[in-house]
PDB file of all heavy atoms in Angstrom:
ATOM      1  N   ALA I  88      32.052 -10.999 -16.429  1.00 95.00           N
ATOM      2  CA  ALA I  88      32.430 -11.779 -15.251  1.00 95.00           C
ATOM      3  C   ALA I  88      31.273 -11.848 -14.257  1.00 95.00           C
ATOM      4  O   ALA I  88      30.970 -12.906 -13.698  1.00 95.00           O
ATOM      5  CB  ALA I  88      33.658 -11.165 -14.594  1.00 95.00           C
ATOM      6  N   ALA I  89      30.601 -10.705 -14.052  1.00 94.00           N
ATOM      7  CA  ALA I  89      29.500 -10.661 -13.085  1.00 94.00           C
ATOM      8  C   ALA I  89      28.362 -11.574 -13.526  1.00 94.00           C
ATOM      9  O   ALA I  89      27.753 -12.272 -12.707  1.00 94.00           O
ATOM     10  CB  ALA I  89      28.997  -9.232 -12.918  1.00 94.00           C
ATOM     11  N   LEU I  90      28.076 -11.586 -14.825  1.00 95.00           N
ATOM     12  CA  LEU I  90      26.982 -12.428 -15.322  1.00 95.00           C
ATOM     13  C   LEU I  90      27.307 -13.901 -15.092  1.00 95.00           C
ATOM     14  O   LEU I  90      26.469 -14.671 -14.625  1.00 95.00           O
ATOM     15  CB  LEU I  90      26.742 -12.151 -16.811  1.00 95.00           C
ATOM     16  CG  LEU I  90      25.595 -12.928 -17.454  1.00 95.00           C
ATOM     17  CD1 LEU I  90      24.293 -12.661 -16.718  1.00 95.00           C
ATOM     18  CD2 LEU I  90      25.445 -12.562 -18.925  1.00 95.00           C
ATOM     19  N   LEU I  91      28.542 -14.253 -15.388  1.00 93.00           N
ATOM     20  CA  LEU I  91      28.957 -15.646 -15.188  1.00 93.00           C
ATOM     21  C   LEU I  91      28.800 -16.042 -13.713  1.00 93.00           C
ATOM     22  O   LEU I  91      28.207 -17.067 -13.376  1.00 93.00           O
ATOM     23  CB  LEU I  91      30.412 -15.822 -15.627  1.00 93.00           C
ATOM     24  CG  LEU I  91      30.940 -17.243 -15.560  1.00 93.00           C
ATOM     25  CD1 LEU I  91      30.284 -18.099 -16.640  1.00 93.00           C
ATOM     26  CD2 LEU I  91      32.451 -17.274 -15.701  1.00 93.00           C
ATOM     27  N   LEU I  92      29.297 -15.178 -12.823  1.00 90.00           N
ATOM     28  CA  LEU I  92      29.214 -15.474 -11.392  1.00 90.00           C
ATOM     29  C   LEU I  92      27.761 -15.533 -10.924  1.00 90.00           C
ATOM     30  O   LEU I  92      27.384 -16.373 -10.122  1.00 90.00           O
ATOM     31  CB  LEU I  92      29.987 -14.422 -10.596  1.00 90.00           C
ATOM     32  CG  LEU I  92      31.508 -14.443 -10.784  1.00 90.00           C
ATOM     33  CD1 LEU I  92      32.140 -13.211 -10.176  1.00 90.00           C
ATOM     34  CD2 LEU I  92      32.094 -15.704 -10.168  1.00 90.00           C
ATOM     35  N   ALA I  93      26.934 -14.619 -11.449  1.00 90.00           N
ATOM     36  CA  ALA I  93      25.535 -14.584 -11.033  1.00 90.00           C
ATOM     37  C   ALA I  93      24.812 -15.847 -11.477  1.00 90.00           C
ATOM     38  O   ALA I  93      24.006 -16.409 -10.736  1.00 90.00           O
ATOM     39  CB  ALA I  93      24.839 -13.343 -11.601  1.00 90.00           C
ATOM     40  N   VAL I  94      25.095 -16.304 -12.692  1.00 90.00           N
ATOM     41  CA  VAL I  94      24.465 -17.538 -13.170  1.00 90.00           C
ATOM     42  C   VAL I  94      24.860 -18.706 -12.273  1.00 90.00           C
ATOM     43  O   VAL I  94      24.018 -19.524 -11.895  1.00 90.00           O
ATOM     44  CB  VAL I  94      24.866 -17.815 -14.637  1.00 90.00           C
ATOM     45  CG1 VAL I  94      24.458 -19.223 -15.040  1.00 90.00           C
ATOM     46  CG2 VAL I  94      24.216 -16.800 -15.558  1.00 90.00           C
ATOM     47  N   LEU I  95      26.140 -18.741 -11.899  1.00 86.00           N
ATOM     48  CA  LEU I  95      26.591 -19.815 -11.018  1.00 86.00           C
ATOM     49  C   LEU I  95      25.931 -19.711  -9.647  1.00 86.00           C
ATOM     50  O   LEU I  95      25.512 -20.705  -9.063  1.00 86.00           O
ATOM     51  CB  LEU I  95      28.118 -19.777 -10.872  1.00 86.00           C
ATOM     52  CG  LEU I  95      28.899 -20.084 -12.149  1.00 86.00           C
ATOM     53  CD1 LEU I  95      30.394 -19.907 -11.909  1.00 86.00           C
ATOM     54  CD2 LEU I  95      28.602 -21.489 -12.635  1.00 86.00           C
ATOM     55  N   ALA I  96      25.831 -18.487  -9.134  1.00 84.00           N
ATOM     56  CA  ALA I  96      25.284 -18.291  -7.787  1.00 84.00           C
ATOM     57  C   ALA I  96      23.784 -18.501  -7.754  1.00 84.00           C
ATOM     58  O   ALA I  96      23.206 -18.754  -6.706  1.00 84.00           O
ATOM     59  CB  ALA I  96      25.618 -16.896  -7.278  1.00 84.00           C
ATOM     60  N   ASP I  97      23.135 -18.399  -8.923  1.00 83.00           N
ATOM     61  CA  ASP I  97      21.685 -18.568  -8.981  1.00 83.00           C
ATOM     62  C   ASP I  97      21.305 -20.043  -8.849  1.00 83.00           C
ATOM     63  O   ASP I  97      20.195 -20.379  -8.474  1.00 83.00           O
ATOM     64  CB  ASP I  97      21.160 -17.999 -10.303  1.00 83.00           C
ATOM     65  CG  ASP I  97      19.651 -17.957 -10.342  1.00 83.00           C
ATOM     66  OD1 ASP I  97      19.058 -17.636  -9.298  1.00 83.00           O
ATOM     67  OD2 ASP I  97      19.063 -18.237 -11.398  1.00 83.00           O
ATOM     68  N   GLY I  98      22.244 -20.919  -9.174  1.00 76.00           N
ATOM     69  CA  GLY I  98      21.951 -22.348  -9.126  1.00 76.00           C
ATOM     70  C   GLY I  98      21.880 -22.874  -7.706  1.00 76.00           C
ATOM     71  O   GLY I  98      22.132 -22.153  -6.742  1.00 76.00           O
ATOM     72  N   LEU I 110      31.093 -12.320  -2.790  1.00 81.00           N
ATOM     73  CA  LEU I 110      31.086 -11.620  -4.070  1.00 81.00           C
ATOM     74  C   LEU I 110      30.700 -10.153  -3.935  1.00 81.00           C
ATOM     75  O   LEU I 110      30.985  -9.341  -4.801  1.00 81.00           O
ATOM     76  CB  LEU I 110      30.133 -12.318  -5.040  1.00 81.00           C
ATOM     77  CG  LEU I 110      30.783 -13.493  -5.762  1.00 81.00           C
ATOM     78  CD1 LEU I 110      29.743 -14.317  -6.484  1.00 81.00           C
ATOM     79  CD2 LEU I 110      31.821 -12.988  -6.746  1.00 81.00           C
ATOM     80  N   ASN I 172      27.499  -5.195 -10.426  1.00 94.00           N
ATOM     81  CA  ASN I 172      26.846  -5.894 -11.533  1.00 94.00           C
ATOM     82  C   ASN I 172      26.288  -7.238 -11.085  1.00 94.00           C
ATOM     83  O   ASN I 172      25.199  -7.638 -11.491  1.00 94.00           O
ATOM     84  CB  ASN I 172      27.835  -6.114 -12.679  1.00 94.00           C
ATOM     85  CG  ASN I 172      28.273  -4.809 -13.306  1.00 94.00           C
ATOM     86  OD1 ASN I 172      27.623  -3.785 -13.111  1.00 94.00           O
ATOM     87  ND2 ASN I 172      29.371  -4.839 -14.031  1.00 94.00           N
ATOM     88  N   PHE I 173      27.065  -7.908 -10.242  1.00 91.00           N
ATOM     89  CA  PHE I 173      26.647  -9.219  -9.752  1.00 91.00           C
ATOM     90  C   PHE I 173      25.306  -9.130  -9.026  1.00 91.00           C
ATOM     91  O   PHE I 173      24.398  -9.916  -9.261  1.00 91.00           O
ATOM     92  CB  PHE I 173      27.725  -9.778  -8.818  1.00 91.00           C
ATOM     93  CG  PHE I 173      27.306 -11.001  -8.069  1.00 91.00           C
ATOM     94  CD1 PHE I 173      27.292 -12.229  -8.692  1.00 91.00           C
ATOM     95  CD2 PHE I 173      26.926 -10.920  -6.738  1.00 91.00           C
ATOM     96  CE1 PHE I 173      26.902 -13.371  -8.009  1.00 91.00           C
ATOM     97  CE2 PHE I 173      26.532 -12.050  -6.045  1.00 91.00           C
ATOM     98  CZ  PHE I 173      26.523 -13.274  -6.683  1.00 91.00           C
ATOM     99  N   PHE I 176      22.564  -8.559 -11.586  1.00 94.00           N
ATOM    100  CA  PHE I 176      22.330  -9.743 -12.414  1.00 94.00           C
ATOM    101  C   PHE I 176      21.647 -10.840 -11.610  1.00 94.00           C
ATOM    102  O   PHE I 176      20.726 -11.496 -12.093  1.00 94.00           O
ATOM    103  CB  PHE I 176      23.643 -10.266 -12.998  1.00 94.00           C
ATOM    104  CG  PHE I 176      24.040  -9.598 -14.283  1.00 94.00           C
ATOM    105  CD1 PHE I 176      25.346  -9.199 -14.501  1.00 94.00           C
ATOM    106  CD2 PHE I 176      23.099  -9.380 -15.289  1.00 94.00           C
ATOM    107  CE1 PHE I 176      25.714  -8.583 -15.688  1.00 94.00           C
ATOM    108  CE2 PHE I 176      23.456  -8.767 -16.478  1.00 94.00           C
ATOM    109  CZ  PHE I 176      24.769  -8.366 -16.682  1.00 94.00           C
ATOM    110  N   LEU I 177      22.093 -11.023 -10.371  1.00 91.00           N
ATOM    111  CA  LEU I 177      21.493 -12.059  -9.541  1.00 91.00           C
ATOM    112  C   LEU I 177      20.015 -11.748  -9.294  1.00 91.00           C
ATOM    113  O   LEU I 177      19.151 -12.614  -9.425  1.00 91.00           O
ATOM    114  CB  LEU I 177      22.243 -12.176  -8.212  1.00 91.00           C
ATOM    115  CG  LEU I 177      21.840 -13.358  -7.342  1.00 91.00           C
ATOM    116  CD1 LEU I 177      22.084 -14.675  -8.051  1.00 91.00           C
ATOM    117  CD2 LEU I 177      22.590 -13.339  -6.017  1.00 91.00           C
ATOM    118  N   LEU I 180      18.131 -12.397 -12.457  1.00 93.00           N
ATOM    119  CA  LEU I 180      17.939 -13.834 -12.698  1.00 93.00           C
ATOM    120  C   LEU I 180      16.846 -14.386 -11.793  1.00 93.00           C
ATOM    121  O   LEU I 180      16.031 -15.205 -12.192  1.00 93.00           O
ATOM    122  CB  LEU I 180      19.245 -14.593 -12.444  1.00 93.00           C
ATOM    123  CG  LEU I 180      20.324 -14.444 -13.511  1.00 93.00           C
ATOM    124  CD1 LEU I 180      21.629 -15.054 -13.040  1.00 93.00           C
ATOM    125  CD2 LEU I 180      19.879 -15.089 -14.808  1.00 93.00           C
TER     126      LEU I 180
END
Side-chain angles (χ1 to χ4, degrees):
Chain I
L90 182 57
L91 184 70
L92 292 169
V94 168
L95 294 175
D97 188 39
L110 276 168
N172 294 343
F173 170 78
F176 274 136
L177 188 60
L180 286 171

